[in-house]
Amino acid sequence: MDSIQIDAVRERLSEAKKIVVLTGAGISAESGVPTFRGADGLWKNFRAEELATPEAFSKDPKLIWEWYSWRRDIISKVKPNPAHLALAELEEKSGDFALVTQNVDGLHGLAGSKNIYELHGNIWRTRCLECSTVVETRSLPESGLPHCNREGCKGLLRPDIVWFGESLPMEVVTGAFQAVDEADFMFVIGTSSVVQPAASLSSRAKSNGAYVVEINPEKTPISDMVDASFQTKAGDTLPKLI
Ligand code: BV8
Ligand code: ZN
């Protein structure tokens, strides 16, 4: 990775008025959380697209809760990595900063980030199918399915996560899109940029004149469109830039 590009991006970053960051599963990879489409992305040979749907849940809620409890177990044992921490530090130093994440692992919040838009929900929250109450549910029953403990309601709980085919929470989308529309600098870190509408945010920022920087060891559909692309791990480059 050439130091000229590092200096150029550091320069741009220091002049930025409104910074927006989009992250995906890749930023948590160095914490030990499997990504969705990487080599370690499978669980019992299922792909996320087959499990993360309302149809899959209504067909076999036990299987889907097994998948989420497997992921919860992994996430409960990991901690934020230098990339998460660098973003929290950048927010501290910046005036106007927004972090838009596709991740549901909550690691950005643990790292100290404040202004976070969780586009796809959060793995630690559950939502009742009957009364729609959303609560943080750290532990799941040893056996059987989790049910609502609100007075008089016995509804089945589902993860408070946006599945394929489901719309994203309006207030989160509105806030995230506004941050992207106003930004003059955008980081896109650790995402394969295939899942919509998150994947459209980088070109949206670019068309508004923002300087867009991608950090991803692999090329993605946006790599040729961005202003600077570091084909490295987030943990290697982000701390150097910040
Ligand atoms: C919606 C929750 C409509 C699950 C997730 C065609 C057919 C069918 C559907 C569609 C279609 N075209 C568009 C759609 C819609 C669909 C979609 O985009 N499908 C894709 C697959 C084509 N989108 C939706 O359904 C969305 N909803 O559109 O609603 C609507 C509108 C109005 C009213 C009603 C309905 C909902 C999308 C949300 C789905 N939920 N997650 C869960 O997490 O349990 S998506 C899932 O993928 C995760 O959230 C994940 O965050 C997201 C994106 O993946 P990435 O984060 O990018 O992770 P990935 O593994 O792919 O890539 C990791 C990257 O990191 C890699 O590039 C790798 O190189 C890099 N990396 C690895 N190590 C490092 C690293 N980078 C840096 N450092 C490292 N160390
Ligand atoms: Zn309920």
Side-chain angles (χ1 to χ4, degrees):
M1 165 189 32
D2 57 304
S3 58
I4 304 156
Q5 205 179 36
I6 286 264
D7 292 343
V9 170
R10 280 169 62 95
E11 177 70 22
R12 280 277 178 160
L13 190 51
S14 63
E15 292 154 4
K17 299 271 173 308
K18 293 182 178 240
I19 299 168
V20 68
V21 182
L22 171 68
T23 62
I27 199 165
S28 297
E30 290 162 82
S31 295
V33 182
T35 62
F36 286 85
R37 293 166 189 86
D40 59 355
L42 293 179
W43 174 72
K44 290 192 178 175
N45 293 325
F46 286 106
R47 288 162 10 94
E49 279 78 1
E50 296 167 86
L51 297 169
T53 70
E55 295 75 22
F57 185 76
S58 53
K59 189 162 146 261
D60 188 347
K62 195 169 167 316
L63 175 74
I64 304 310
W65 266 118
E66 229 182 86
W67 179 46
Y68 279 98
S69 111
W70 171 73
R71 289 170 64 193
R72 279 165 162 243
D73 191 43
I74 292 173
I75 291 165
S76 63
K77 294 184 177 108
V78 303
K79 56 186 194 333
N81 65 59
H84 293 110
L85 297 170
L87 289 182
E89 191 190 327
L90 178 60
E91 182 172 15
E92 281 283 304
K93 291 197 262 187
S94 315
D96 194 318
F97 179 97
L99 174 57
V100 179
T101 188
Q102 299 170 87
N103 300 341
V104 299
D105 57 31
L107 290 179
H108 284 304
L110 272 185
S113 291
K114 300 269 179 298
N115 190 24
I116 304 172
Y117 294 95
E118 291 182 318
L119 292 180
H120 298 158
N122 184 297
I123 200 163
W124 296 114
R125 286 196 307 265
T126 57
R127 184 167 80 235
C128 174
L129 292 184
E130 297 303 319
C131 68
S132 303
T133 307
V134 173
V135 288
E136 166 127 342
T137 311
R138 295 301 297 198
S139 60
L140 297 169
E142 278 303 303
S143 66
L145 296 169
H147 286 87
C148 184
N149 54 19
R150 227 195 70 180
E151 195 51 38
C153 178
K154 280 269 157 285
L156 176 60
L157 298 181
R158 60 163 278 176
D160 186 33
I161 280 188
V162 179
W163 284 332
F164 288 100
E166 294 188 320
S167 47
L168 281 61
M170 262 337 279
E171 66 288 349
V172 174
V173 170
T174 313
F177 275 56
Q178 193 179 340
V180 166
D181 289 346
E182 294 172 356
D184 57 354
F185 186 103
M186 179 176 195
F187 271 125
V188 181
I189 305 167
T191 179
S192 55
S193 286
V194 293
V195 173
Q196 296 299 348
S200 66
L201 296 180
S202 51
S203 48
R204 193 180 171 107
K206 188 97 183 90
S207 59
N208 292 335
Y211 185 82
V212 183
V213 179
E214 180 184 38
I215 306 177
N216 190 324
E218 289 169 10
K219 275 187 92 53
T220 70
I222 69 164
S223 300
D224 297 334
M225 177 270 291
V226 298
D227 295 286
S229 175
F230 294 97
Q231 293 205 1
T232 65
K233 292 185 172 181
D236 294 342
T237 303
L238 212 42
K240 288 191 186 103
L241 290 173
I242 288 163

